[in-house]
Amino acid sequence: MTLSDAVAHLSPERWAQANRLLIRKALAEFAHERLITPEPENGRDGRNGYVVLADDGLTRYRFRAVRHALDHWQVDAESVSRHRDGAELPLSALDFFIELKKSLGLSDEVLPVYLEEISSTLSGTCYKLTKPQIPVAELVKSDFQAIETGMTEGHPCFVANNGRLGFGVHEYLSYAPETASPVRLVWLAAHRSRAAFTAGVGIEYEAFLRAELGQETVVRFRTKLSDQGLDPTEYLFIPVHPWQWWNKLTVTFAAEVAQRNLICLGEGDDEYLAQQSIRTFFNKSDPEKHYVKTALSVLNMGFMRGLSAAYMEATPAINDWLAQLIDNDPVLKSTGLSIIRERAAVGYRHLEYEAATDRYSPYRKMLAALWRESPVSSLGDGESLATMASLVHVDHEGRSFASALVEQSGLDPKEWLRGYLQAYFTPLLHSFYAYDLVYMPHGENVILVLKDGAVQRAIYKDIAEEIAVMDPDAVLPPTVDRLRVDVPEEKKLLSVFTDVFDCFFRFLAANLATEGVLDEDDFWRTVAEVTRAYQEANPQLADKFRQYDMFAPEFALSCLNRLQLRNNEQMMDLADPAGALQLIGTLRNPVAGF
């Protein structure tokens, strides 16, 4: 690739389109989070429009929008315009954030870094605009990984959602999920005095390594150690993201390399594809082998995307515990719910950085990996997979992936929705009410099993780092004890209202309504019916249903962009996630009326 080829996606036309799309999203999500207050304005065409005034009181952003349940703003991208002193100005996302810096609460420290994340997000959009535009009707017939790499938006709430600070453009083209470039992982040998391997029940290191790497590669790597006069039995193997090796470990861990605590063994033979979460890889060479999740010290969406060696030690045990809980619970079993377990993990502890930092420091999250089951082997005849994030993917013609699935299924839209809710939503309700157990059930953390367009069942993933038990008195095995969190009573149900209603159903409902597939009232009525049916089937939990009322008239509005705008490098205090929430007023609960 030539120097100029690397930026071929950055053309004036694509840049203008990317800026328009991002400002559209910023207006919609910042209005939702009450950072800006659009004022109604009657447009010259007689249609209702809105105007937002910048901090200077002179610059105006005009647009048309439809408002939906949960104070969702569906902004028409083509209608957005920018004006000052009677003249229309070109749309520029960087100018937008500077002009609204005060309204958005952007500090002098955060602003330039946030602008860098916005620039990176815009650049990614330009790249996506160069790809063949696949209509959703075609995408629903594609395979799991084609759907995964076909996503164009990223997280539906976050405006700066593809920051990936640390990637140069050549690395973006090599490692971003949307580029679908095959990646070979770098393998290191780590001295056992500083590294630990843990695994779930029934997994033994040697056999696991041979299954993942192949016998020939294991022999090749061990010979490499012997040739340097080292004893292979004293080392554990760790898969590493190539970016992490070139940019972090060779420099930040130079002492470990120099002292032979870390030895680079070279690349493995299998080719992988980066997933939406960017640091997790699907095995393209052998789809039934495990996913590999790696540490990646890149800043993306409010956090450095490292992986903690200390956290890895309990990961397999937590996954085994949850898998057993699901297996022994008739309600969860009846929904078809499963998890893809994180079966094994390996972490490396850099003793000097540990001595110099607290347990949440990114310096402690630079070298670890985990292996997660592949869902491919669990499929029955005619079943296929899609990340749940795909449901809110909208193609270039304005059609959503969800509406294409409804069409493919031939089901009445309400029936299709009911099937999806029973597979995805009912298990969340039951986990909450029966076990005080919550997940991080956003679109990227759930895989849907589909058959002829209809949702058959759901698979939850990203278990050990994302689940919590909100009962301080819960009796848990010692290895699982870190899941216990103390959350104030009034914030407990926000795990459903925020993560599911506000951060996912809000978009799904608005898209289906905009396309004329399913009226918004019918969407929320169906959510209410599925909730009611679950409650009626489980009368033993009636006291809990009263205590935590899914039909409460309103709930607190928890704002994600506000967290990122306040501190985009450490969005949340990991020691007190509930205390870090930005709660701004309330939202009307869309199921309350039903």
Side-chain angles (χ1 to χ4, degrees):
M1 177 191 295
T2 68
L3 293 171
S4 54
D5 283 346
V7 290
H9 58 291
L10 297 175
S11 70
E13 302 73 29
R14 283 194 281 270
W15 188 253
Q17 177 65 358
N19 276 264
R20 177 172 292 281
L21 292 172
L22 189 131
I23 291 173
R24 179 216 72 76
K25 183 173 185 178
L27 289 166
E29 288 307 299
F30 294 161
H32 173 72
E33 294 194 12
R34 300 166 191 176
L35 284 154
I36 56 175
T37 310
E39 298 293 341
E41 179 184 62
N42 212 5
R44 274 161 291 190
D45 56 5
R47 291 166 70 182
N48 282 346
Y50 293 89
V51 64
V52 166
L53 214 54
D55 296 340
D56 64 4
L58 301 169
T59 310
R60 288 176 156 74
Y61 286 87
R62 293 197 164 100
F63 60 92
R64 285 196 300 274
V66 178
R67 294 178 70 174
H68 293 274
L70 290 170
D71 203 17
H72 179 68
W73 292 73
Q74 197 90 334
V75 174
D76 172 12
E78 294 311 309
S79 73
V80 179
S81 59
R82 174 181 173 222
H83 308 264
R84 192 186 302 133
D85 299 331
E88 185 169 342
L89 305 172
L91 290 176
S92 155
L94 299 181
D95 284 338
F96 174 88
F97 289 100
I98 293 165
E99 289 164 359
L100 284 130
K101 174 189 156 182
K102 211 165 94 212
S103 309
L104 300 177
L106 278 161
S107 69
D108 291 344
E109 295 75 42
V110 171
L111 178 61
V113 190
Y114 189 77
L115 291 181
E116 192 180 353
E117 291 187 87
I118 290 292
S119 300
S120 174
T121 300
L122 290 167
S123 175
T125 303
C126 288
Y127 176 82
K128 290 168 195 170
L129 290 169
T130 67
K131 293 173 74 177
Q133 306 284 303
I134 302 170
V136 286
E138 206 178 301
L139 196 60
V140 292
K141 298 177 189 141
S142 305
D143 70 25
F144 183 28
Q145 290 309 294
I147 294 168
E148 186 77 16
T149 58
M151 301 295 94
T152 53
E153 182 43 60
H155 196 292
C157 300
F158 285 104
V159 176
N161 64 13
N162 280 318
R164 298 161 183 172
L165 297 191
F167 277 4
V169 70
H170 56 302
E171 292 155 333
Y172 169 83
L173 295 168
S174 302
Y175 307 130
E178 59 268 23
T179 65
S181 304
V183 176
R184 288 184 186 215
L185 298 177
V186 173
W187 284 79
L188 305 184
H191 199 270
R192 286 176 183 264
S193 60
R194 293 187 170 211
F197 175 87
T198 48
V201 176
I203 287 187
E204 181 271 324
Y205 178 71
E206 286 298 325
F208 184 78
L209 206 58
R210 282 196 300 275
E212 280 299 304
L213 274 170
Q215 178 66 17
E216 274 178 42
T217 309
V218 172
V219 170
R220 183 172 89 232
F221 285 171
R222 289 202 164 135
T223 305
K224 200 158 190 171
L225 292 171
S226 307
D227 289 351
Q228 294 179 53
L230 301 168
D231 178 356
T233 62
E234 289 183 4
Y235 288 85
L236 294 169
F237 291 177
I238 304 187
V240 171
H241 194 297
W243 185 94
Q244 195 75 353
W245 170 248
W246 288 110
N247 293 277
K248 284 292 168 191
L249 302 178
T250 50
V251 181
T252 313
F253 280 42
E256 306 304 286
V257 177
Q259 290 161 4
R260 294 282 190 266
N261 285 323
L262 289 177
I263 313 283
C264 184
L265 301 169
E267 292 181 341
D269 298 331
D270 287 355
E271 290 194 329
Y272 290 84
L273 285 174
Q275 301 296 282
Q276 285 291 315
S277 69
I278 203 160
R279 59 190 165 148
T280 302
F281 291 96
F282 177 86
N283 194 318
K284 184 172 176 261
S285 303
D286 188 346
E288 298 209 357
K289 280 191 190 175
H290 290 76
Y291 286 95
V292 180
K293 184 173 181 176
T294 57
L296 184 63
S297 301
V298 162
L299 183 70
N300 197 39
M301 250 171 30
F303 286 109
M304 195 66 82
R305 297 288 160 178
L307 209 56
S308 158
Y311 256 53
M312 288 307 97
E313 289 179 17
T315 287
I318 289 170
N319 279 262
D320 282 349
W321 171 82
L322 182 60
Q324 198 176 2
L325 183 144
I326 292 169
D327 216 33
N328 292 336
D329 185 288
V331 179
L332 294 177
K333 228 165 149 52
S334 71
T335 63
L337 176 72
S338 62
I339 60 168
I340 42 179
R341 286 173 298 176
E342 289 144 2
R343 298 294 280 137
V346 61
Y348 185 89
R349 305 180 78 145
H350 191 300
L351 304 182
E352 291 75 16
Y353 285 124
E354 284 197 8
T357 58
D358 72 16
R359 67 193 177 111
Y360 298 111
S361 166
Y363 283 96
R364 295 191 181 201
K365 300 177 182 180
M366 286 189 180
L367 184 49
L370 64 81
W371 287 269
R372 179 185 291 145
E373 292 169 319
S374 165
V376 172
S377 54
S378 69
L379 293 180
D381 282 350
E383 290 184 334
S384 62
L385 300 166
T387 174
M388 192 175 85
S390 64
L391 293 187
V392 294
H393 166 71
V394 175
D395 69 14
H396 55 294
E397 291 161 349
R399 293 208 56 220
S400 74
F401 189 86
S403 72
L405 286 177
V406 173
E407 197 171 305
Q408 187 190 19
S409 73
L411 295 169
D412 172 80
K414 286 200 285 282
E415 277 313 297
W416 183 92
L417 179 63
R418 186 171 280 109
Y420 159 64
L421 293 171
Q422 282 162 348
Y424 163 67
F425 186 53
T426 301
L428 293 176
L429 290 174
H430 187 63
S431 298
F432 177 86
Y433 285 111
Y435 302 106
D436 293 287
L437 171 67
V438 292
Y439 307 82
M440 186 62 75
H442 56 63
E444 193 276 309
N445 270 353
V446 179
I447 296 169
L448 300 176
V449 179
L450 305 165
K451 191 170 186 177
D452 302 324
V455 178
Q456 302 297 297
R457 52 198 165 85
I459 302 169
Y460 295 171
K461 68 179 180 74
D462 217 351
I463 298 304
E465 285 198 287
E466 301 280 26
I467 67 171
V469 175
M470 298 192 298
D471 174 7
D473 305 318
V475 179
L476 298 172
T479 46
V480 176
D481 199 56
R482 78 147 192 252
L483 296 181
R484 191 197 314 275
V485 292
D486 204 352
V487 176
E489 284 297 300
E490 72 281 2
K491 288 184 182 176
K492 285 185 176 176
L493 204 46
L494 280 183
S495 64
V496 176
F497 285 143
T498 299
D499 297 344
V500 182
F501 281 23
D502 193 35
C503 293
F504 199 78
F505 287 176
R506 169 163 69 93
F507 299 92
L508 182 59
N511 288 346
L512 293 173
T514 302
E515 294 175 80
V517 174
L518 185 62
D519 181 76
E520 210 171 2
D521 268 1
D522 287 337
F523 181 97
W524 291 108
R525 184 181 291 109
T526 308
V527 175
E529 285 166 1
V530 169
T531 305
R532 192 79 73 201
Y534 161 70
Q535 293 187 346
E536 284 167 3
N538 293 278
Q540 75 281 8
L541 295 168
D543 289 348
K544 292 287 283 280
F545 300 149
R546 275 191 294 277
Q547 188 180 356
Y548 304 108
D549 183 8
M550 278 298 300
F551 297 94
E554 54 185 29
F555 58 85
L557 166 60
S558 181
C559 302
L560 299 187
N561 283 287
R562 282 178 182 265
L563 291 170
Q564 194 182 9
L565 291 163
R566 185 182 60 185
N567 183 349
N568 59 327
E569 295 183 23
Q570 179 72 33
M571 198 167 72
M572 209 171 239
D573 177 2
L574 296 171
D576 179 22
L581 297 177
Q582 285 267 312
L583 304 177
I584 308 295
T586 59
L587 291 171
R588 268 192 58 230
N589 181 359
V591 300
F594 304 112

